[in-house]
């Protein structure tokens, strides 16, 4: 049985992505977002939604670039903190003990300590109510060389080097009975495009 | 140390969302997407990205509506299967043993067995390379009454009724050393907006 819900926010496991930008003075800033992710494959496009009041919003408009960094649970406190203060009056990299790494491809900083990151040039801006969607084209990707990577060459020969998200300590943001929480990844339940084969073959 | 990656797809834990639509003949269809999620809060907007060749793409254009259903791991095989065949030649609801439930608010079917779902009217369409982003306004939400819900009324009084994603069997799609996998949710690591407080108070 379904029952109607009043507050209109779909409950699902959301990735937290941390956006890296430079401000007018060239100071690096970070901001975590729950509204973001890949939105197209060719070209590879990634979006982040931000309110106009945020420093990151202004920085992306001015620099036409941003990075999207995937946090590991090792930096969960820092990621949570970075969403509670503004880069206008805090050096969040310093407060978090994180290292900004200048992208060689776009005008934005990467977070050295995070397991993987995409360097994006602003491709499209879509106004959507309380937020602006910044759609960036991924021009370069970096992954931590120390993390085992998945060999996906059985799929396509250029897909050989993506970091293992379980080993990297990936986590999501999700509603639980305790409230809004960060939740770690658990056990691998099966291979995508494999689990459903039997059902496909008999349908 | 970072090393460059050739294939441009950011590795992060992605929610799988299952889109429900009606075709021209009124037949219900489902399609899982990894490219989708909330993109704005006010109004509440949710997007799904689809290739133009898909039946779901055509259905959304024609019906101007869709639902977004969150699968539980109980239906992981069915969810995987639904991404391997087209609704043009398969009745995926029947093949999966799932029940279409007509939305009373929009011209699209919900999946009865899934823990929660959003009913969306098409608000905006954005062309982004290989995919079209369909941005829907959530006009109604439903959650399984049998799943414990989170009382978030300490945040806002209308936010009291979102299903517990861990209890609901939420899972994500992520790259691991084994390849592209579905991964269950693990342990709760901490409360959002709480974990970072100590760091905030001393910064």
């Amino acid at each position: 049985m379904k029952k109607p819900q009043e507050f209109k926010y779909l409950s699902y496991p959301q990735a937290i992505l941390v956006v890296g930008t430079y401000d007018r003075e060239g100071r690096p800033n970070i901001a975590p977002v729950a509204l973001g992710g890949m939105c197209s494959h060719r070209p590879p496009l990634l979006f982040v939604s931000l309110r106009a009041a945020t420093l990151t919003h202004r920085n992306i408009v001015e620099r036409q670039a941003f990075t999207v960094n995937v946090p590991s649970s090792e930096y969960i406190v820092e990621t949570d903190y970075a969403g509670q203060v503004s880069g206008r009056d805090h050096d969040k990299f310093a407060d978090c003990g994180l290292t900004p790494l200048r992208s060689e491809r776009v005008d934005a900083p990467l977070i050295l300590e995070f397991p993987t990151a995409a360097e994006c040039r602003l491709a499209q801006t879509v106004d959507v109510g309380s937020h602006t969607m910044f759609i960036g084209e991924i021009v370069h990707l970096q992954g931590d060389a120390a993390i085992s990577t998945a060999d996906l060459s059985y799929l396509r020969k250029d897909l050989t080097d993506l970091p293992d998200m379980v080993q990297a300590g990936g986590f999501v943001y999700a509603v639980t009975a305790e409230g809004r929480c960060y939740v770690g990844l658990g056990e691998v339940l099966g291979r995508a495009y494999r689990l459903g084969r039997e059902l496909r073959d008999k349908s």
Side-chain angles (χ1 to χ4, degrees), chain A residues 16-80:
Chain A
I16 297 289
L17 301 172
V18 181
V19 187
T21 54
Y22 286 121
D23 73 5
R24 283 178 190 170
E25 287 74 37
R27 288 178 299 220
N29 187 43
I30 48 175
V33 299
L35 308 184
M38 293 290 301
C39 61
S40 186
H41 289 163
R42 281 172 302 277
L45 299 175
L46 192 56
F47 86 98
V48 293
S49 280
L50 290 153
R51 289 177 300 109
T54 61
L55 176 60
T56 296
H57 188 290
R58 191 181 75 180
N59 290 352
I60 295 175
V61 169
E62 293 185 357
R63 300 277 179 161
Q64 300 281 301
F66 56 96
T67 65
V68 176
N69 304 266
V70 181
S72 62
S73 55
E74 191 183 343
Y75 292 99
I76 198 167
V77 168
E78 290 78 4
T79 300
D80 191 61

Side-chain angles (χ1 to χ4, degrees), chain A residues 1-196:
Chain A
M1 201 187 87
K2 297 279 185 192
K3 73 175 178 181
Q5 297 182 327
E6 287 313 310
F7 182 71
K8 295 189 174 54
Y9 191 92
L10 187 65
S11 181
Y12 65 101
Q14 290 180 274
I16 297 289
L17 301 172
V18 181
V19 187
T21 54
Y22 286 121
D23 73 5
R24 283 178 190 170
E25 287 74 37
R27 288 178 299 220
N29 187 43
I30 48 175
V33 299
L35 308 184
M38 293 290 301
C39 61
S40 186
H41 289 163
R42 281 172 302 277
L45 299 175
L46 192 56
F47 86 98
V48 293
S49 280
L50 290 153
R51 289 177 300 109
T54 61
L55 176 60
T56 296
H57 188 290
R58 191 181 75 180
N59 290 352
I60 295 175
V61 169
E62 293 185 357
R63 300 277 179 161
Q64 300 281 301
F66 56 96
T67 65
V68 176
N69 304 266
V70 181
S72 62
S73 55
E74 191 183 343
Y75 292 99
I76 198 167
V77 168
E78 290 78 4
T79 300
D80 191 61
Y81 161 74
Q84 299 187 31
V85 297
S86 171
R88 295 180 206 275
D89 43 33
H90 286 82
D91 179 342
K92 293 194 257 184
F93 268 101
D95 293 348
C96 293
L98 294 171
T99 313
L101 186 67
R102 179 173 291 279
S103 164
E104 292 176 11
R105 314 294 179 98
V106 303
D107 191 12
L110 297 150
I111 303 172
L112 178 67
E113 290 81 1
F114 281 20
T116 186
E119 298 155 69
C120 302
R121 81 170 176 81
L122 182 60
Q124 204 168 340
T125 300
V126 183
D127 283 318
V128 283
S130 57
H131 288 67
T132 303
M133 295 178 79
F134 291 108
I135 301 175
E137 180 173 349
I138 301 176
V139 296
H140 196 239
L141 270 172
Q142 302 213 33
D144 190 328
I147 294 169
S148 289
T149 55
D151 181 3
L152 301 180
S153 55
Y154 64 91
L155 293 171
R156 38 186 301 172
K157 63 177 164 38
D158 53 358
L159 191 60
T160 58
D161 211 25
L162 296 174
D164 178 326
M165 268 298 115
V166 174
Q167 200 194 337
F171 64 91
V172 295
Y173 172 76
V175 171
T176 76
E178 294 172 57
R180 298 181 297 176
C181 292
Y182 301 113
V183 182
L185 298 189
E187 60 173 335
V188 173
L189 302 172
R191 288 272 293 274
Y193 309 100
R194 291 275 174 94
L195 277 183

